[in-house]
Amino acid sequence: MRRFLSDPLSRAWLALLALSLAGALLTLVPVPQALIGAGVLILALVKARLILSRYLELGESPPWMRGIGTVLTGFVLLLLALSLL
Amino acid sequence: MSERSLIDELPGELMMWVLILSELLVFGAGLVALLAVRLTDPSGFAEAQDHLYRTGAALNTVVLVTSGYLAACALHWCRSGRRARARWALLLAAGLGALFLVIKGAEYAGKAAQGISYDTHPFFMFYYLLTGFHAAHVLAGVAILLLVAWRDAPRNIEAGAQFWHMVDLVWVLLYPVVYLAG
């Protein structure tokens, strides 16, 4: 179990499961729909960065991770702005 | 001694990254278009979105990220010489991909039973276009995973796993916009 938890891939998978659960639970919270939309998009950004970094191994190349991560963050901010209008 | 260029630092094949970024641009444009058209009829889009099977989509997220984990493990095991383990992981990843399609099929069947089609509301045109195109990628990804489980050279598995992670990446961005953010 300790070996499983010390593996970065396994930790990424567990984090993705936890973030997916958090996104699903967030939709059940009685808050304005705009806040739910913002919350799930931010969680999606974190999940996408995890997939890029761990699954696609971009974390091993910090300049590429920074570059693609920045474009991705900009894209999610655009989606966020459109969903809040 | 030659210096490594920035291109050399990219994990895997350069062409796979060209494909990944191209696909992200295509799906990204679709998601932006959905949210832009939604501005013309926010209440209609929200009402249409309420007809979606959110539990199934959430379950499919778990299925896909778990499948991606298995594909990533397969590459790791293949690199360390554990071929049989890598092959099993790829087969399981493909199996979960097939499960994703079964759940998606049930979702589409549910919509058809309710009389909902692409022309019911503009939202559903985007819904069928984006999720259908993604499902086509899942289908292709399952075939690729099975192919690289058979032809299991590390380079093949790396390319196959990268394609599969792209499918995963598109879903984690598509799911909140199409199913949740209304």
Side-chain angles (χ1 to χ4, degrees):
Chain A
M1 187 64 182
R2 192 177 289 173
R3 200 169 144 192
F4 173 78
L5 289 175
S6 66
D7 174 29
L9 260 184
S10 305
R11 283 208 305 268
W13 174 55
L14 291 175
L16 285 167
L17 291 182
L19 289 164
S20 301
L21 181 66
L25 290 178
L26 191 60
T27 61
L28 305 176
V29 179
V31 291
Q33 186 61 35
L35 277 181
I36 292 173
V40 293
L41 280 171
I42 290 165
L43 288 173
L45 174 63
V46 179
K47 284 197 282 184
R49 290 183 67 103
L50 260 176
I51 290 170
L52 280 169
S53 170
R54 298 296 184 199
Y55 283 10
L56 280 161
E57 301 178 321
L58 219 49
E60 292 170 17
S61 175
W64 281 105
M65 186 62 219
R66 257 198 312 277
I68 294 177
T70 303
V71 173
L72 184 70
T73 303
F75 171 68
V76 173
L77 287 177
L78 172 65
L79 294 180
L80 190 57
L82 284 169
S83 73
L84 291 176
L85 282 175
Chain B
M1 203 170 81
S2 65
E3 267 187 40
R4 266 163 61 90
S5 74
L6 196 56
I7 296 290
D8 294 330
E9 279 191 36
L10 262 178
E13 294 285 330
L14 173 63
M15 279 305 123
M16 282 308 297
W17 281 101
V18 171
L19 175 73
I20 290 168
L21 295 178
S22 309
E23 295 281 358
L24 285 176
L25 280 173
V26 171
F27 279 99
L31 294 176
V32 168
L34 187 160
L35 288 178
V37 176
R38 174 186 156 270
L39 296 176
T40 62
D41 177 21
S43 56
F45 268 66
E47 197 187 323
Q49 197 180 41
D50 281 341
H51 285 89
L52 296 187
Y53 180 40
R54 288 180 170 131
T55 308
L59 181 62
N60 258 348
T61 305
V62 171
V63 168
L64 219 49
V65 297
T66 303
S67 179
Y69 169 65
L70 287 167
C73 286
L75 179 59
H76 171 71
W77 288 327
C78 172
R79 282 172 178 159
S80 57
R82 286 175 281 181
R83 282 182 67 183
R85 209 179 236 230
R87 281 182 153 170
W88 275 111
L90 288 167
L91 291 175
L92 277 173
L96 287 175
L99 177 62
F100 178 96
L101 291 172
V102 168
I103 294 170
K104 182 61 63 191
E107 188 182 321
Y108 286 159
K111 293 285 148 302
Q114 290 173 2
I116 294 172
S117 76
Y118 70 92
D119 58 356
T120 304
H121 185 274
F123 171 80
F124 288 109
M125 183 194 71
F126 283 106
Y127 161 75
Y128 280 113
L129 195 68
L130 289 167
T131 62
F133 192 41
H134 178 264
H137 281 75
V138 173
L139 187 61
V142 168
I144 290 170
L145 288 173
L146 293 174
L147 184 67
V148 300
W150 176 43
R151 294 287 191 189
D152 65 341
R155 220 178 134 187
N156 293 346
I157 293 183
E158 186 173 62
Q162 278 189 310
F163 183 90
W164 196 238
H165 298 322
M166 177 270 289
V167 171
D168 206 355
L169 188 55
V170 167
W171 179 255
V172 300
L173 293 170
L174 188 152
Y175 164 63
V177 176
V178 174
Y179 289 84
L180 305 177

